[in-house]
């Protein structure tokens, strides 16, 4: 049985994305918005899905998400609660009594997190007490605002210190170029330091790519973050498909991410997804029938990525794909062979494509007109540095002029000057340089592959032979 996973939603973005994530999981597991089964369980027929990793179930067969919601102002949390009446555990919801928000300041969010840290950790401890085989956390947040970045950063530090042996993944949303938050480069750099130092895997999204995708995915020409959040939730649900509909491989967070993270420093991952059918989004455009061959190759098209990639010579380190639908083994093998010819892998990396064939939920409406295969790709590539370099460039531009620093001067991390900025900028630069170094043939020569340097549980069953067998 897969271990339990606690989802922590921080700030407006984190709770809005979380709302769509739980909506998707409810649809896939036949759970109503109040936690009741949409179809009564048959005691003579065991369920084919595993709800335990993400849901608690009481004696009356009512489901409650293993989720914690935190925000400094109430609107996003209230929206979630209104959409799911009595679904979430009220003890796991925290909204600042002042309801004033963080004013888009990392410093204010961080200080709020520091002041309430014991309360948050107590909430987490109680949620862990309701597990039997606790596996780890997934944090949903934005890196550019105040609460998701600042309070989220404090939580990353606190969780990694208190639960160092539990897996900590983040779903981190980067801002668009048109963001109106003038201090977003400061917030992003400060948050990236914590992602680099305290998370085991960070799945990166950026609003530029997400907003561009919405114009192709949805019928409505006037798209918004309601639509982009559905794209993120589709990726999240597909990443966890093999945990919730388990088979003999990829049935835990460590077993999935250990295929993608060769060294602890290289843990920033890019997601791709296609097609976004009615299984995952509401109001999407119609798609023609497709095959696993079509989908696997399309996943490597830049237009299907959920993060902007501005690199002509992308170097792949590791790749993991999940296919859901009617999949023919021959199509998968043919697509793997074709992709291996097209993709440029690092010299030290095998050219394996780790492919998991997931299961479509029996609770979703049957496909009648067309038969679809949907695919998710997670990749670890050198192209992620284009996003990080752009962030560094914007940071350097305003920091060199001392612009907008007054916003941070009262923060506890800045009482002795601006060293936190320069140190965080250095950490991000080190990440960029590490990814550049990983393109070289001798990258792993000095890496000692001991247990403490590996991600996840190495006893997990993996595609260790690199033979591309599903």
């Amino acid at each position: 049985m897969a271990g339990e996973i606690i989802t922590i939603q921080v700030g407006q973005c984190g709770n809005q994305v979380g709302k769509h994530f739980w909506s998707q999981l409810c649809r896939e597991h036949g759970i109503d918005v109040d936690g009741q089964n949409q179809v009564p369980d048959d005691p003579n027929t065991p369920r084919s899905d595993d709800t335990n990793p993400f849901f608690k179930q009481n004696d009356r067969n009512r489901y409650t998400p293993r989720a914690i919601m935190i925000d400094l102002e109430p609107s996003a949390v209230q929206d979630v609660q209104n959409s799911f009446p009595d679904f979430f555990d009220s003890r796991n919801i925290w909204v600042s009594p002042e309801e004033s928000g963080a004013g888009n300041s990392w410093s204010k969010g961080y200080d709020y997190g520091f002041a309430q840290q014991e309360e948050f950790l107590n909430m987490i401890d109680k949620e862990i007490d309701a597990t039997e085989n606790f596996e780890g956390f997934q944090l949903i947040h934005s890196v550019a605002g105040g609460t998701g970045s600042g309070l989220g950063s404090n939580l990353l530090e606190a969780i990694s210190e208190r639960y160092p042996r539990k897996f900590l993944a983040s779903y981190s949303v980067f801002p668009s170029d048109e963001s109106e938050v003038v201090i977003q480069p400061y917030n992003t750099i400060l948050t990236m330091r914590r992602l680099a130092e305290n998370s085991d895997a960070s799945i990166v999204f950026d609003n530029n790519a997400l907003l561009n995708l919405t114009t192709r995915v949805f019928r409505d020409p006037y798209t918004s973050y309601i639509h982009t959040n559905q794209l993120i939730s589709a990726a999240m649900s597909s990443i966890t498909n093999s945990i919730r509909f388990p088979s003999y491989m990829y049935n835990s967070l460590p077993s999935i991410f250990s295929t993608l993270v060769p060294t602890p420093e290289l843990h920033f991952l890019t997601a791709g997804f296609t097609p976004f059918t009615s299984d995952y989004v509401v109001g999407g455009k119609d798609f023609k029938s497709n095959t696993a061959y079509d989908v696997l190759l399309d996943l490597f098209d830049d237009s299907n990525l959920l993060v902007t990639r501005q690199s002509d010579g992308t170097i792949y380190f590791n790749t993991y794909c999940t296919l859901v639908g009617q999949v023919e083994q021959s199509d998968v093998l043919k697509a793997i062979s074709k992709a291996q010819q097209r993709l440029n892998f690092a010299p030290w990396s095998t050219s394996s494509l780790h492919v998991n064939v997931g299961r479509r939920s029996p609770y979703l409406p049957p496909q009648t007109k067309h038969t679809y295969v949907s695919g998710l790709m997670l990749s670890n590539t050198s192209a992620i540095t284009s996003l990080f370099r752009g962030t560094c460039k914007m940071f350097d531009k305003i920091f060199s002029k001392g612009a907008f620093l007054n916003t941070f001067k009262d923060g506890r991390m800045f009482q002795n000057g601006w060293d936190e900025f320069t140190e965080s900028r250095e950490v991000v630069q080190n990440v960029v340089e590490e990814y550049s170094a990983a393109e070289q043939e001798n990258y792993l020569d000095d890496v000692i592959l001991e247990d403490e340097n590996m991600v996840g549980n190495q006893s997990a069953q993996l595609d260790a032979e690199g033979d591309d067998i599903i």
Side-chain angles (χ1 to χ4, degrees):
M1 178 183 292
E4 296 90 354
I5 299 164
I6 294 176
T7 301
I8 303 177
Q9 306 166 191
V10 182
Q12 183 180 48
C13 174
N15 283 293
Q16 289 175 341
V17 172
K19 171 187 172 182
H20 290 282
F21 173 68
W22 291 110
S23 176
Q24 181 66 27
L25 261 58
C26 285
R27 291 182 66 226
E28 293 189 17
H29 293 287
I31 299 172
D32 217 332
V33 294
D34 61 356
Q36 300 291 340
N37 271 328
Q38 293 176 346
V39 179
D41 285 339
D42 183 350
N44 299 316
T45 305
R47 293 181 65 127
S48 62
D49 58 338
D50 185 2
T51 58
N52 185 65
F54 289 93
F55 295 93
K56 294 176 288 188
Q57 186 178 9
N58 65 18
D59 295 337
R60 299 184 301 277
N61 289 327
R62 186 178 181 277
Y63 293 91
T64 303
R66 302 185 190 275
I68 294 173
M69 295 189 287
I70 299 172
D71 206 349
L72 297 182
E73 61 93 20
S75 61
V77 171
Q78 287 177 351
D79 179 49
V80 176
Q81 291 177 295
N82 291 338
S83 300
F84 298 89
D86 300 321
F87 185 43
F88 292 89
D89 188 340
S90 60
R91 297 174 302 175
N92 290 351
I93 299 173
W94 188 92
V95 176
S96 170
E98 294 87 2
E99 299 185 355
S100 57
N104 290 320
S105 169
W106 181 95
S107 181
K108 291 181 180 179
Y110 187 91
D111 288 354
Y112 268 110
F114 185 84
Q116 303 296 329
Q117 188 176 103
E118 283 307 311
E119 184 172 354
F120 296 150
L121 291 175
N122 186 47
M123 291 166 62
I124 293 172
D125 285 339
K126 289 180 178 178
E127 192 62 26
I128 293 176
D129 289 342
T131 68
E132 295 182 359
N133 181 30
F134 177 58
E135 183 174 294
F137 305 91
Q138 56 179 23
L139 171 72
I140 314 172
H141 70 133
S142 164
V143 303
T147 306
S149 66
L151 199 154
S153 290
N154 189 268
L155 269 179
L156 283 166
E157 293 176 344
I159 290 171
S160 64
E161 180 179 350
R162 186 136 173 176
Y163 317 98
R165 296 185 179 277
K166 299 304 179 181
F167 199 89
L168 175 54
S170 78
Y171 293 90
S172 304
V173 182
F174 280 64
S176 70
D177 294 337
E178 299 178 0
S179 173
E180 296 179 355
V181 181
V182 294
I183 58 172
Q184 74 173 32
Y186 290 154
N187 296 339
T188 303
I189 287 290
L190 293 166
T191 308
M192 280 194 63
R193 175 179 185 174
R194 277 72 192 178
L195 292 174
E197 295 180 341
N198 302 112
S199 71
D200 295 307
S202 296
I203 300 91
V204 175
F205 306 91
D206 86 86
N207 282 325
N208 286 326
L210 293 170
L211 290 168
N212 287 335
L213 258 179
T214 59
T215 61
R216 294 195 295 112
V217 171
F218 294 95
R219 293 190 297 269
D220 186 351
Y222 304 103
T223 53
S224 67
Y225 290 121
I226 294 175
H227 299 90
T228 62
N229 292 339
Q230 291 183 62
L231 306 186
I232 298 173
S233 71
M236 291 179 64
S237 69
S238 294
I239 291 170
T240 61
N241 177 279
S242 57
I243 298 174
R244 298 178 293 107
F245 299 90
S247 60
Y248 69 97
M249 291 180 69
Y250 308 119
N251 52 19
S252 68
L253 288 180
S255 66
I256 293 171
F257 289 107
S258 61
T259 67
L260 289 159
V261 181
T263 66
E265 295 80 11
L266 303 179
H267 68 249
F268 290 92
L269 308 175
T270 299
F273 195 99
T274 191
F276 288 95
T277 67
S278 58
D279 283 357
Y280 299 98
V281 300
V282 177
K285 295 178 180 178
D286 293 331
F287 292 90
K288 297 179 180 179
S289 297
N290 58 15
T291 66
Y293 177 82
D294 303 323
V295 171
L296 264 179
L297 294 182
D298 285 346
L299 284 171
F300 295 97
D301 191 315
D302 286 0
S303 64
N304 292 318
L305 297 181
L306 279 67
V307 64
T308 305
R309 188 158 75 183
Q310 298 175 344
S311 176
D312 295 332
T314 299
I315 304 295
Y316 285 81
F317 308 132
N318 300 94
T319 299
Y320 167 83
C321 299
T322 285
L323 300 173
V324 176
Q326 296 186 11
V327 175
E328 295 291 337
Q329 179 90 356
S330 58
D331 287 337
V332 176
L333 296 175
K334 185 169 64 171
I336 288 174
S337 177
K338 180 72 72 173
Q340 287 172 328
Q341 299 172 28
R342 294 180 179 179
L343 303 181
N344 190 10
F345 284 89
W348 50 266
S349 172
T350 66
S351 59
S352 300
L353 273 67
H354 301 272
V355 178
N356 170 65
V357 176
R359 283 188 282 158
R360 185 176 184 270
S361 167
Y363 299 99
L364 294 173
Q367 296 176 347
T368 53
K369 292 184 178 180
H370 302 286
T371 300
Y372 300 110
V373 176
S374 287
L376 161 93
M377 176 189 67
L378 287 178
S379 61
N380 197 340
T381 80
S382 62
I384 195 68
T385 59
S386 64
L387 179 65
F388 298 164
R389 286 192 176 100
T391 299
C392 289
K393 184 177 180 180
M394 289 189 292
F395 171 88
D396 293 342
K397 183 177 180 180
I398 60 175
F399 187 67
S400 63
K401 299 176 181 178
F404 312 118
L405 290 176
N406 282 342
T407 308
F408 297 85
K409 64 181 178 63
D410 294 327
R412 68 182 310 273
M413 298 297 289
F414 305 96
Q415 293 304 296
N416 298 316
W418 308 119
D419 288 350
E420 180 62 35
F421 281 120
T422 55
E423 292 171 7
S424 297
R425 173 65 173 82
E426 183 178 351
V427 169
V428 177
Q429 184 62 37
N430 289 341
V431 171
V432 172
E433 292 175 359
E434 189 74 19
Y435 269 87
S436 297
E439 298 181 18
Q440 306 306 313
E441 184 173 0
N442 62 350
Y443 173 67
L444 289 183
D445 287 357
D446 297 327
V447 177
I448 302 174
L449 298 179
E450 297 177 349
D451 288 346
E452 63 268 23
N453 288 341
M454 301 297 288
V455 171
N457 179 4
Q458 295 307 299
S459 65
Q461 188 172 11
L462 306 177
D463 184 13
E465 302 301 322
D467 55 8
D468 307 317
I469 299 301
I470 299 168

